[in-house]
């Protein structure tokens, strides 16, 4: 038996050392989660406009085009559960906050709040670098070096000088040069729409609750809350499920009526053309600048 | 609790240490500990599942004693009656949890089909993980007691440990009481070589599951979910990948289960014997899911008369066995069709008068198979692949839609948007080569003590290579397919 234990320890020891070293190294590399967390830690009290949400706002809302000190805290793959956590994690320090922008995407209310398959790495990064309260005791969300492919990409990007692709204000531009040739193909739009269409809306109640609590806080503290649906291409829009869109609208109407949130729907806005899009549902850097300017004009119009 | 989870990574060493150090001096305590650990393992999914397994264990234990006492008194009628009651009770539980909604929905569809609208009740029940496996294991005990193949046990801890032993509880192998129960009735000794071999087998099982099965699953699920948009070629390729997904998923789990059991001094039967190297469909069913097929052979096929009643009776018995096997896999008509498909293939083979000559593995004394064997293996593989397509379909309607797309038509060769990846084929090829080279072994990591393999450094290097391969190729965690059965 002793021989067995010794053999196991001798076998496992190099693996543990290698994993530990890799974990230490990879956590020292620059990454957007750590950077955004650090920025907020140092500048939260200065922020006047805070952008939350997922890829739609992370790429689609350019803080430099917003008035005052603005920061884009949105990151790809975020769900409302994480927006809720981030908002309440920092709101105590955000003494100057006047405006909060949150996306309303086609599937935002219906996605699993936490633990959705496919968003594992995002949740892991939020756990490690943003100190999220989810998956605290789940080792698979606390050890980055377990996942070779994302690790390889992170190290490769760092060594090639491509690890930092976000601005100081948190915005992640999607340059037109990176756009793929078949970006708006029918089969892509159809598959993407199908992937984002839900048959049942079981998660809607939880997600609505998360957004309501943010809206309620904003209402009680004279912070304007803006919900925005960023533009999609005309070709993509035709594959979206009317029932899901209608139910989303119903939830948004409740938020407007109960908490005074303002909603700006640019999903089918004809002012956006091919060059404004990076793919069927995300804006390019050109489109983001355009959207942000249009959004600010509309917000200011409503204030008058 | 999944084998490929951190929870199990902590659970296993703790259980191992307590088993061999704290409880080794008392067989009874050791068995009680096995029960406790197994219930923790099983209850991790849902503690309510434990009520059912305790019921099954108590029912079978008590009935075993009643059957034996009736037999000893010469009252065979009562012995049969108790056996019948136990079988009925276990099948009733299985029927309620697994098949109730299937049968009521099917009946309702039938009534609607003949123009009658009837509201059938449905039950909102979760299907307990592994219910089909441990139910069959319990049934084998009572039937074997009735047949006097083994005496009824009075050792409650040993019996409960036999039913709930965690490595094989949720996805097999389905162990016979004649093999597993005596192992819980006598002291176990830790054997270094067996434990190390068990770990090797677990490593190979993890490789098959995490590298091959899970990577295939990502592609297969993507194609199947969007099958209306996929071309015929993409569907064929997805079916090909599913053939390896289900094999590596299920045999991987069995390898982990068998390897894990060996750590505790328990020997489980082999469940897969390189089935995709089979030269005909009969050989395939002697290599695939051995524990289930031998169960059906011994408790259904042979009691029905087996092959003793002439060709047509044999055909009838084959169809009954495969119909039940299909139903065992799931409560849907696609599983029934899959079972009947294989029943048909075997029956056709029987009716041609074919008699299987080669009982050993293909090319037993050669490096490579002959061209004839290659042709036969490829043909058998194709037949099995078609069966898996039926098995994978969500329902009959989806199956018919998919079948229509499988024939050459416009856009047949297009597989844009299918998510097909080249690396998955590399993983499959690697796995096949290794299994081919080691096809005579219980598992591929049983190295010969010749040439380079006699050096420990080489063997350890191979283990590190496999672990690195798993780390690099691991895609995303997928549930074990056979958990749903």
């Amino acid at each position: 038996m002793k021989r067995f234990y010794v053999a196991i320890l001798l076998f496992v020891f190099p693996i543990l050392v290698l994993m530990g070293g890799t974990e230490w190294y990879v956590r020292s590399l620059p990454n957007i989660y750590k950077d955004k967390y650090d920025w907020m830690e140092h500048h939260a009290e200065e922020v006047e406009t805070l952008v939350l949400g997922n890829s739609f706002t992370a790429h689609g809302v350019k803080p430099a085009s917003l008035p005052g000190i603005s920061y884009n805290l949105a990151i790809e793959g975020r769900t409302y559960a994480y927006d809720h956590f981030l908002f309440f994690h920092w709101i105590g320090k955000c003494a100057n906050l006047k405006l909060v922008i949150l996306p309303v995407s086609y599937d935002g209310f219906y996605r699993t709040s936490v633990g959705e398959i496919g968003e594992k790495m995002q949740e892991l990064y939020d756990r490690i670098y943003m100190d999220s309260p989810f998956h605290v005791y789940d080792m698979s969300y606390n050890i980055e070096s377990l996942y070779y492919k994302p690790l390889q990409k992170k190290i490769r990007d760092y060594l090639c000088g491509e690890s930092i692709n976000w601005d100081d204000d948190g915005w992640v531009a999607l340059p037109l040069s990176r756009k793929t040739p078949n970006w708006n193909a029918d089969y892509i739009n159809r598959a993407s729409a199908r992937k984002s269409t839900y048959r049942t809306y079981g998660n809607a109640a939880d997600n609505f609750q998360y957004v309501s609590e943010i809206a309620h806080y904003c209402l009680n503290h004279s912070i304007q809350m803006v919900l925005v649906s960023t533009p999609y291409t005309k070709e993509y829009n035709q594959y979206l499920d009317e029932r899901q869109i209608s139910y989303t609208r119903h939830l948004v109407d409740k938020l407007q009526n109960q908490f005074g949130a303002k909603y700006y729907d640019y999903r089918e806005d004809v002012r956006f053309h091919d060059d404004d899009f990076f793919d069927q549902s995300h804006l390019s850097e050109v489109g983001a600048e355009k959207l942000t300017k249009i959004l600010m004009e509309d917000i200011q119009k409503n204030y008058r | 609790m999944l084998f490929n989870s951190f929870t199990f990574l902590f659970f296993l060493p703790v259980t191992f240490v307590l088993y061999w150090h704290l409880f080794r001096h008392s067989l009874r305590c050791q068995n009680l500990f096995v029960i406790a650990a197994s219930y923790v393992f099983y209850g991790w999914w849902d503690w309510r599942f434990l009520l059912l397994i305790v019921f099954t264990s108590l029912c079978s234990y008590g009935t075993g004693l009643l059957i034996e006492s009736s037999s000893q008194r010469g009252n065979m009628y009562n012995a049969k009656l108790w056996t019948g009651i136990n079988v009925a009770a276990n099948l009733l539980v299985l029927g309620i949890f697994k098949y109730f909604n299937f049968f009521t929905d099917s009946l309702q569809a039938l009534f609607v089909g003949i123009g009658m609208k009837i509201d059938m009740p449905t039950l909102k029940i979760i299907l307990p993980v592994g219910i089909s496996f441990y139910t069959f294991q319990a049934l084998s005990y009572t039937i074997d007691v009735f047949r006097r193949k083994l005496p009824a046990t009075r050792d409650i801890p040993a019996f409960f440990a036999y039913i709930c032993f965690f490595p094989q509880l949720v996805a097999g192998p389905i162990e016979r009481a004649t093999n597993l129960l005596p192992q819980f009735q006598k002291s176990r000794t830790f054997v270094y070589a067996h434990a190390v071999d068990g770990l090797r087998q677990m490593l190979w099982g993890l490789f098959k599951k995490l590298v091959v099965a899970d990577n295939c699953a990502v592609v297969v699920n993507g194609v199947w979910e969007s099958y209306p948009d996929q071309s015929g070629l993409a569907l064929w390729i997805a079916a090909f990948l599913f053939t390896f997904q289900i094999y590596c998923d299920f045999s991987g789990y069995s390898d982990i289960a068998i390897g894990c059991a060996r750590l505790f001094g328990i020997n489980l039967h082999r469940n897969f014997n390189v089935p995709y190297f089979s030269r005909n469909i009969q050989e395939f069913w002697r290599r695939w899911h051995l524990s289930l097929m031998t169960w059906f052979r011994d408790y259904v096929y042979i009691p029905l008369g087996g092959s003793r009643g002439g060709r047509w009776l044999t055909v009838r018995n084959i169809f009954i066995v495969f119909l039940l096997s299909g139903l065992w896999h799931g409560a849907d008509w696609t599983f029934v069709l899959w079972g009947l498909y294989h029943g048909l293939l075997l029956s056709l083979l029987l009716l041609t008068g074919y008699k299987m000559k080669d009982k050993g593995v293909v090319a037993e004394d050669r490096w490579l198979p002959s061209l004839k064997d290659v042709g036969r293996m490829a043909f058998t593989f194709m037949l099995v692949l078609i069966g898996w397509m039926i098995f994978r379909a969500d329902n009959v309607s989806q199956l018919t839609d998919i079948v229509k797309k499988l024939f050459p038509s416009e856009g047949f060769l297009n597989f844009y948007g299918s998510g097909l990846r080249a690396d998955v084929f590399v993983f499959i090829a690697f796995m096949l080569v290794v299994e081919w080279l080691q096809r005579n072994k219980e598992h591929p990591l049983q190295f010969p003590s010749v040439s380079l393999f006699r050096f420990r450094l080489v063997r350890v290097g191979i283990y590190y290579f496999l672990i690195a391969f798993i780390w690099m190729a691991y895609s995303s965690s997928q549930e074990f397919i056979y958990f749903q059965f």
Side-chain angles (χ1 to χ4, degrees):
Chain A
M1 185 70 83
K2 191 175 164 186
R3 187 183 161 202
F4 182 72
Y5 288 135
V6 168
I8 295 286
L9 281 167
L10 285 175
F11 183 83
V12 166
F13 183 71
I15 297 174
L16 292 174
V17 166
L18 198 63
M19 264 189 70
T22 308
E23 189 71 19
W24 172 82
Y25 173 67
V26 79
R27 287 198 191 196
S28 69
L29 296 178
N31 73 79
I32 194 170
Y33 290 79
K34 193 163 76 163
D35 203 66
K36 292 198 173 193
Y37 184 88
D38 288 343
W39 194 96
M40 287 299 289
E41 280 287 288
H42 291 109
H43 303 286
E45 62 275 7
E46 300 166 18
V47 171
E48 294 170 68
T49 303
L50 187 64
V51 181
L52 295 170
N54 46 30
S55 56
F56 300 110
T57 37
H59 304 304
V61 179
K62 187 177 178 183
S65 299
L66 295 167
I69 297 174
S70 309
Y71 193 73
N72 194 321
L73 197 54
I75 285 184
E76 287 186 10
R78 281 253 172 79
T79 58
Y80 286 134
Y82 281 89
D83 292 324
H84 179 276
F85 149 67
L86 290 165
F87 179 82
F88 285 102
H89 183 74
W90 271 300
I91 194 62
K93 291 185 186 172
C94 296
N96 287 309
L97 190 63
K98 296 189 179 76
L99 174 66
V100 170
I101 299 174
L102 204 61
V104 173
S105 59
Y106 170 60
D107 63 349
F109 279 109
Y110 314 108
R111 295 170 62 206
T112 312
S113 297
V114 171
E116 178 161 308
I117 293 172
E119 309 297 356
K120 180 147 191 170
M121 291 314 295
Q122 282 92 340
E123 293 202 58
L124 179 144
Y125 296 138
D126 269 318
R127 171 83 281 279
I128 294 174
Y129 299 108
M130 292 274 191
D131 200 24
S132 87
F134 306 112
H135 310 298
V136 173
Y137 300 111
D138 188 339
M139 299 304 289
S140 68
Y141 285 91
N142 283 277
I143 304 175
E144 198 175 343
S145 53
L146 282 177
Y147 307 97
Y148 172 76
K149 284 171 191 162
L151 187 73
Q152 182 203 35
K153 183 176 184 311
K154 198 173 181 182
I155 294 173
R156 191 180 59 218
D157 286 348
Y158 175 69
L159 293 174
C160 294
E162 289 171 15
S163 56
I164 297 175
N165 62 354
W166 59 93
D167 290 1
D168 289 341
D169 55 13
W171 180 52
V172 184
L174 291 174
L176 283 168
S177 55
R178 277 174 47 204
K179 210 162 149 175
T180 56
N182 58 346
W183 66 278
N184 200 21
D186 249 0
Y187 71 89
I188 290 179
N189 287 331
R190 215 171 23 237
S192 180
R194 182 176 293 113
K195 193 178 162 207
S196 304
T197 301
Y198 287 75
R199 273 183 248 159
T200 56
Y201 304 145
N203 296 317
D206 284 346
N207 285 316
F208 181 81
Q209 183 63 24
Y210 287 126
V211 180
S212 300
E213 287 178 13
I214 297 173
H216 187 246
Y217 185 95
C218 289
L219 181 67
N220 288 342
H221 292 82
S222 305
I223 299 169
Q224 193 180 359
M225 178 162 171
V226 160
L227 302 167
V228 60
S229 288
T230 56
Y232 296 163
T233 62
K234 184 177 68 183
E235 292 81 2
Y236 181 57
N237 273 316
Q238 68 184 347
Y239 290 113
L240 301 184
D241 180 41
E242 275 308 317
R243 194 175 77 101
Q244 187 163 316
I245 292 171
S246 174
Y247 193 70
T248 302
R249 190 69 221 216
H250 162 72
L251 294 173
V252 168
D253 285 345
K254 275 171 74 172
L255 288 166
Q256 291 189 98
N257 296 334
Q258 286 175 18
F259 306 107
K262 290 280 184 282
Y263 176 51
Y264 299 93
D265 185 1
Y266 303 108
R267 189 174 56 82
E268 292 177 295
D269 198 308
V270 297
R271 289 174 285 183
F272 293 87
H273 310 294
D274 281 3
D275 274 354
D276 295 319
F277 290 99
F278 179 80
D279 62 27
Q280 73 273 26
S281 55
H282 294 89
L283 293 172
S284 64
E285 53 190 346
V286 171
E289 188 146 5
K290 191 178 195 173
L291 171 71
T292 315
K293 287 205 168 104
I294 291 172
L295 177 64
M296 281 325 297
E297 279 165 16
D298 288 342
I299 291 172
Q300 274 152 13
K301 256 188 240 167
N302 272 325
Y303 251 155
R304 284 186 211 128
Chain B
M1 199 186 296
L2 292 175
F3 280 159
N4 55 322
S5 67
F6 272 101
T7 318
F8 186 73
L9 195 61
F10 288 115
F11 171 84
L12 183 63
V14 168
T15 310
F16 177 86
V17 168
L18 291 174
Y19 179 88
W20 287 116
H21 294 281
L22 204 62
F23 297 105
R24 68 187 160 115
H25 296 297
S26 162
L27 177 63
R28 190 178 182 82
C29 289
Q30 202 175 47
N31 285 339
L32 285 169
F33 174 70
V34 165
I35 296 167
S38 301
Y39 284 175
V40 165
F41 178 87
Y42 191 56
W44 208 265
W45 271 283
D46 191 321
W47 65 267
R48 292 170 294 180
F49 293 170
L50 294 173
L51 302 170
L52 211 52
I53 195 173
V54 170
F55 169 79
T56 300
S57 304
L58 279 171
C59 191
S60 299
Y61 173 80
T63 322
L65 292 172
L66 289 166
I67 292 168
E68 189 175 68
S69 89
S70 301
S71 297
Q72 281 169 352
R73 288 199 309 267
N75 191 342
M76 294 315 295
Y77 174 78
N78 272 4
K80 253 191 205 172
L81 182 67
W82 286 121
T83 309
I85 288 171
N86 179 252
V87 168
N90 276 304
L91 292 180
L92 183 68
V93 165
L94 192 60
I96 289 171
F97 280 89
K98 197 165 170 179
Y99 301 106
F100 185 85
N101 289 339
F102 167 63
F103 283 123
T104 52
D105 288 345
S106 300
L107 262 174
Q108 188 159 19
L110 182 68
F111 282 125
V112 164
I114 57 173
M116 290 170 65
K117 192 177 179 302
I118 289 177
D119 281 326
M120 302 290 289
T122 53
L123 296 175
K124 283 184 183 159
I125 324 176
I126 328 163
L127 176 64
V129 176
I131 187 172
S132 304
F133 292 91
Y134 68 72
T135 302
F136 270 40
Q137 195 154 306
L139 284 174
S140 90
Y141 167 76
T142 39
I143 297 172
D144 282 351
V145 167
F146 173 74
R147 288 178 176 176
R148 298 191 191 188
K149 279 192 172 172
L150 84 162
T153 183
R154 276 155 177 75
D155 188 344
I156 296 182
F159 183 76
F160 271 58
Y162 154 71
I163 296 287
C164 72
F165 185 44
F166 72 89
Q168 43 93 225
L169 173 60
V170 295
I174 301 169
E175 281 293 325
R176 301 298 181 84
T178 45
N179 175 55
L180 188 54
L181 185 55
Q183 294 187 68
F184 283 111
Q185 289 169 325
K186 64 177 196 277
S187 297
R188 275 83 65 182
T189 318
F190 179 80
V191 178
Y192 175 84
H194 291 173
V196 167
D197 196 48
L199 285 175
R200 285 199 286 250
Q201 193 162 5
M202 288 177 75
L203 176 60
W204 183 246
L206 276 172
F207 170 82
K208 280 198 288 191
K209 164 63 180 160
L210 297 178
V211 173
V212 185
D214 284 357
N215 279 294
C216 285
V218 171
V219 181
V220 170
N221 292 345
V223 170
W224 237 260
E225 274 161 18
S226 59
Y227 75 89
D229 296 325
Q230 299 294 339
S231 68
L233 179 62
L235 289 168
W236 274 112
I237 294 175
F240 174 83
L241 293 178
F242 180 70
T243 306
F244 287 101
Q245 178 195 342
I246 195 164
Y247 168 63
C248 290
D249 192 287
F250 196 16
S251 68
Y253 186 96
S254 291
D255 281 330
I256 298 170
I258 294 166
C260 184
R262 294 191 87 186
L263 287 174
F264 296 90
I266 301 287
N267 292 313
L268 302 179
H269 278 133
R270 190 174 187 178
N271 212 12
F272 291 85
N273 188 5
V274 290
Y276 289 157
F277 299 147
S278 301
R279 287 152 288 188
N280 55 66
I281 204 74
Q282 187 182 20
E283 186 180 1
F284 174 80
W285 283 108
R286 288 187 183 176
R287 293 176 178 278
W288 179 276
H289 201 177
L290 294 163
S291 62
L292 179 72
M293 296 324 292
T294 51
W295 195 100
F296 274 119
R297 180 197 64 199
D298 293 344
Y299 299 116
V300 179
Y301 183 70
I302 291 176
L304 283 174
S307 54
R308 295 191 304 269
R311 266 192 194 179
W312 293 107
L313 267 172
T314 307
V315 166
R316 180 205 71 174
N317 295 339
I318 288 171
F319 268 104
I320 290 172
V321 163
F322 278 92
L323 171 72
L324 291 175
S325 171
L327 264 178
W328 179 90
H329 281 83
D332 206 299
W333 287 110
T334 49
F335 296 114
V336 175
L337 282 172
W338 170 79
L340 291 175
Y341 168 75
H342 276 281
L344 178 68
L345 290 178
L346 270 168
S347 302
L348 287 172
L349 193 67
L350 169 78
L351 291 171
T352 58
Y354 174 81
K355 280 200 180 343
M356 197 167 110
K357 292 183 204 121
D358 304 317
K359 296 281 172 71
V361 75
V362 62
E364 202 157 4
D365 302 320
R366 300 195 301 275
W367 274 101
L368 295 170
S370 63
L371 272 172
K372 184 180 172 191
D373 282 339
V374 169
R376 288 160 76 191
M377 285 194 290
F379 182 66
T380 307
F381 181 83
M382 202 57 209
L383 291 176
V384 169
L385 185 153
I386 292 168
W388 287 134
M389 244 194 271
I390 303 171
F391 188 94
R392 179 60 177 81
D394 290 337
N395 48 58
V396 177
S397 167
Q398 188 194 76
L399 177 63
T400 43
D401 289 343
I402 286 173
V403 167
K404 282 178 201 162
K405 293 175 81 82
L406 293 176
F407 299 97
S409 59
E410 194 186 328
F412 179 84
L413 296 176
N414 177 22
F415 54 82
Y416 287 119
S418 59
L420 292 173
R421 290 154 38 197
D423 57 349
V424 177
F425 298 97
V426 172
F427 303 152
I428 291 171
F430 177 80
M431 184 271 301
L432 281 175
V433 166
V434 170
E435 292 220 328
W436 173 261
L437 291 173
Q438 295 285 81
R439 61 194 180 281
N440 293 317
K441 302 282 174 8
E442 286 280 318
H443 64 85
L445 297 186
Q446 280 179 337
F447 299 116
S449 50
V450 294
S451 69
L452 286 172
F453 297 112
R454 68 183 188 275
F455 299 113
R456 182 174 292 173
L457 212 58
V458 169
R459 296 195 303 271
V460 170
I462 291 172
Y463 307 146
Y464 279 132
F465 169 76
L466 279 176
I467 291 171
F469 203 152
I470 291 170
W471 176 57
M472 288 165 69
Y474 174 63
S475 179
S476 66
S477 186
Q478 307 284 332
E479 196 177 70
F480 284 97
I481 295 176
Y482 266 70
F483 276 9
Q484 63 189 296
F485 309 139

